[in-house]
């Protein structure tokens, strides 16, 4: 292998799952904008944050290939290098 | 939340009208019958009030529940998940390496001995060599003194702290739990531990975590004392597998699953064998029962008419 750079497969899958979870991401960003001016400290976007990340998690865990994780790294490295 | 407030308003109006209705009714009539009607009205009102209180408290608690229970972890496809699937023993070996180098400085695994690793992750010689690296305090000698000696296979894995108080003192009041049974001690343990270890993220807008704690959405409450420990290339695996965060997480959870359930493989084999045999026995028993009962089930009763 020319480069020793390793790519974390989970992060890679999370990135590739982002397009599938655009709607909760937009909801979260809308919430962030809504509470931007708030100084009371009581407003937060945990709900939307959880909705977004549970969408990503579902996508990632269903994405997992039945074979070894090395294969995903191998594919990524081979395809994009 | 807006919906909850709206519902609260409607219910409050309903409550208000109900409370107005019952005293008016009892004021207008003073006969016994009407007093009874009034008391049953009060009872109905009390029931409604109890129901409304329950509903109101439920709606206000629901908004706090999310972070309180932590983000639900997904189900990952573990290689040892199937009905006849065994552990990935190479993964257990790597996971033990991760535990030793990353986790053992804070987390004990006091129920596992070095001899348990023999035949599972290491050969006897390797395990003996690993055990010999640690110092163990042993019982009184002939002179009545405690002495230290190199470890043996029969010794437990070493503990980082002498006791819980020392552990809490060294970790800002938080106790790093013993990991011997952690995948059984947490709901959906294997998936939870993997999600937790690889799930350190920036907190959502509006949430701030105090100094000394870290945000992890999977941890109940969201604020965990343990910092992110798994980082790419933190460990150099003996077998040359690239040590990404996800790889280390998978390996350490395989190791922890084995530690909590070392009997899993034998259990699955036994379970498969006996469920199969008992199903055959069930078929045989069902046939035998029906054979014996056929005599009674096929009898005919004749009702003779008396002339």
């Amino acid at each position: 292998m020319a480069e020793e750079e390793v790519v974390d497969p989970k992060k890679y899958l999370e990135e590739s799952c982002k397009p599938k979870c655009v709607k909760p991401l937009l909801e979260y960003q809308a919430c962030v904008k809504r509470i931007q001016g708030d100084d009371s400290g009581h407003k937060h976007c945990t709900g939307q944050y959880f909705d977004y990340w549970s969408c990503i998690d579902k996508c990632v865990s269903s994405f997992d290939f039945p074979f070894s994780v090395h294969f995903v790294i191998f594919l990524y490295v081979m395809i994009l290098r | 939340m807006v919906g909850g407030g709206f519902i609260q308003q409607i219910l409050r109006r309903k409550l208000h009208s109900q409370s107005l209705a019952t005293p008016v009714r009892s004021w207008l009539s003073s006969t016994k019958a009407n007093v009874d009607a009034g008391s049953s009205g009060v009872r109905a009102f009390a029931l409604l009030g109890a129901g409304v209180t329950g509903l109101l408290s439920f709606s206000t608690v629901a908004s706090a529940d999310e972070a309180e229970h932590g983000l639900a972890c997904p189900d990952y496809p573990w290689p040892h998940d199937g009905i006849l699937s065994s552990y990935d023993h190479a993964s257990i070996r790597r996971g033990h390496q991760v535990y030793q180098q990353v986790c053992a400085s804070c987390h004990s695994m006091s129920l596992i001995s070095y001899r348990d690793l023999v035949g599972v992750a290491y050969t006897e010689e390797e395990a003996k060599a690993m055990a010999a690296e640690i110092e163990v305090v042993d019982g009184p000698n002939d002179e009545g003194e405690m002495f230290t000696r190199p470890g043996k296979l029969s010794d437990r894995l070493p503990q980082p702290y002498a006791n819980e108080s020392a552990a809490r003192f060294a970790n800002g009041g938080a106790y790093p739990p013993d990991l011997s049974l952690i995948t059984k001690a947490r709901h959906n343990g294997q998936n939870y531990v993997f999600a937790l270890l690889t799930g350190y993220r920036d907190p959502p807008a509006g949430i701030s975590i105090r100094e000394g704690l870290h945000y992890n959405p999977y941890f109940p409450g969201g604020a965990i004392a343990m910092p992110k420990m798994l980082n790419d290339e933190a460990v150099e695996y003996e077998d040359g597998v690239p040590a990404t965060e996800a790889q280390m997480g998978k390996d350490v959870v395989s190791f922890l699953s084995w530690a909590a359930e070392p009997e899993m493989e034998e259990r699955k084999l036994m379970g498969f064998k006996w469920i199969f045999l008992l199903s055959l026995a069930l078929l045989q028993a069902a046939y035998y029962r029906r054979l014996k009962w056929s005599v009674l089930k096929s009898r005919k009763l004749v009702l003779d008419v008396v002339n």
Side-chain angles (χ1 to χ4, degrees):
Chain A
M1 223 184 292
E3 285 168 41
E4 277 303 321
E5 192 185 320
V6 284
V7 174
D8 183 49
K10 189 166 183 245
K11 285 203 186 61
Y12 168 70
L13 288 173
E14 281 174 0
E15 280 299 309
S16 60
C17 277
K18 262 194 184 155
K20 290 208 181 102
C21 296
V22 178
K23 190 163 161 291
L25 180 63
L26 292 175
E27 294 280 331
Y28 175 65
Q29 286 167 347
C31 171
V32 173
K33 213 180 265 171
R34 269 200 306 276
I35 70 165
Q36 223 158 26
D38 172 60
D39 283 325
S40 72
H42 291 309
K43 297 191 184 171
H44 59 90
C45 294
T46 307
Q48 291 85 346
Y49 181 89
F50 274 23
D51 291 338
Y52 170 65
W53 279 109
S54 84
C55 172
I56 297 271
D57 280 343
K58 235 180 248 147
C59 169
V60 168
S61 62
S62 64
F63 219 108
D64 277 0
F65 302 111
F67 39 83
S68 157
V69 139
H70 323 330
F71 196 90
V72 180
I73 306 169
F74 174 77
L75 278 178
Y76 181 84
V77 169
M78 288 300 120
I79 289 168
L80 289 162
R81 289 268 172 269
Chain B
M1 281 202 214
V2 176
F6 184 59
I7 291 170
Q8 287 182 32
Q9 275 186 19
I10 293 179
L11 288 165
R12 243 181 243 121
R13 260 186 239 131
K14 229 184 154 187
L15 259 175
H16 194 60
S17 62
Q18 194 80 349
S19 60
L20 282 177
T22 21
V24 167
R25 215 187 296 143
S26 56
W27 180 75
L28 278 177
S29 54
S30 52
T31 60
K32 195 164 187 281
N34 279 338
V35 166
D36 285 338
S39 66
S40 71
V42 168
R43 207 173 291 137
F45 165 67
L47 276 171
L48 180 69
V52 161
T53 320
L55 195 68
L56 285 176
S57 56
F58 186 69
S59 65
T60 48
V61 157
S63 55
D65 252 1
E66 255 163 354
E68 197 182 319
H69 289 161
L71 179 58
C73 54
D75 288 321
Y76 294 99
W78 296 98
H80 53 261
D81 266 348
I83 195 171
L84 282 179
S85 304
S86 67
Y87 285 121
D88 178 355
H89 286 260
S91 189
I92 296 179
R93 188 185 170 111
R94 289 193 298 271
H96 174 256
Q97 192 184 344
V98 173
Y99 164 75
Q100 224 177 13
Q101 294 181 18
V102 176
C103 323
S105 51
C106 298
H107 287 278
S108 58
M109 278 191 85
S110 51
L111 299 179
I112 311 293
S113 307
Y114 283 98
R115 58 176 172 78
D116 297 326
L117 294 165
V118 176
V120 171
Y122 298 96
T123 63
E124 193 177 324
E125 294 79 32
E126 286 170 334
K128 263 194 194 142
M130 250 187 341
E133 284 170 18
I134 62 159
E135 290 275 305
V136 172
V137 175
D138 207 348
N141 57 14
D142 298 341
E143 294 164 21
E145 287 170 354
M146 305 297 282
F147 59 94
T148 54
R149 56 158 176 81
K152 296 188 283 199
L153 282 179
S154 55
D155 292 321
R156 298 277 168 94
L157 262 49
Q159 301 199 357
Y161 303 107
N163 48 58
E164 189 183 323
S165 303
R168 285 188 184 277
F169 179 64
N171 290 288
Y175 175 59
D178 185 283
L179 298 180
S180 317
L181 293 166
I182 198 76
T183 54
K184 284 203 288 196
R186 299 287 179 271
H187 172 71
N188 200 7
Q190 296 175 14
N191 294 311
Y192 168 73
V193 174
F194 180 80
L196 187 85
L197 290 175
T198 57
Y200 281 86
R201 303 187 183 120
D202 290 329
I207 298 285
S208 58
I209 308 290
R210 72 159 169 86
E211 193 66 38
L213 295 181
H214 310 84
Y215 184 74
N216 191 308
Y218 302 97
F219 189 70
I224 190 173
M226 174 174 75
K228 179 172 148 94
M229 296 300 294
L230 296 183
N231 298 295
D232 286 341
E233 314 267 18
V235 165
E236 204 180 300
Y237 281 135
E238 286 176 340
D239 51 5
V241 168
T244 58
E245 187 185 331
Q247 180 71 53
M248 289 191 287
K250 182 239 177 188
D251 291 333
V252 83
V253 173
S254 295
F255 170 66
L256 293 175
S257 306
W258 166 78
E261 292 175 282
E263 81 290 351
M264 183 270 268
E265 288 153 341
E266 197 189 335
R267 184 186 77 217
K268 281 186 184 172
L269 286 172
M270 220 189 282
F272 190 83
K273 170 184 169 188
W274 285 105
I275 288 176
F276 171 68
L277 290 178
L278 288 173
S279 333
L280 294 181
L282 177 69
L283 292 174
Q284 180 271 334
Y287 175 81
Y288 190 71
R289 181 262 184 203
R290 288 182 66 81
L291 179 66
K292 290 298 164 193
W293 274 78
S294 63
V295 179
L296 289 175
K297 289 233 177 173
S298 55
R299 69 183 164 176
K300 299 238 188 300
L301 297 169
V302 178
L303 226 60
D304 214 344
V305 178
V306 176
N307 285 324

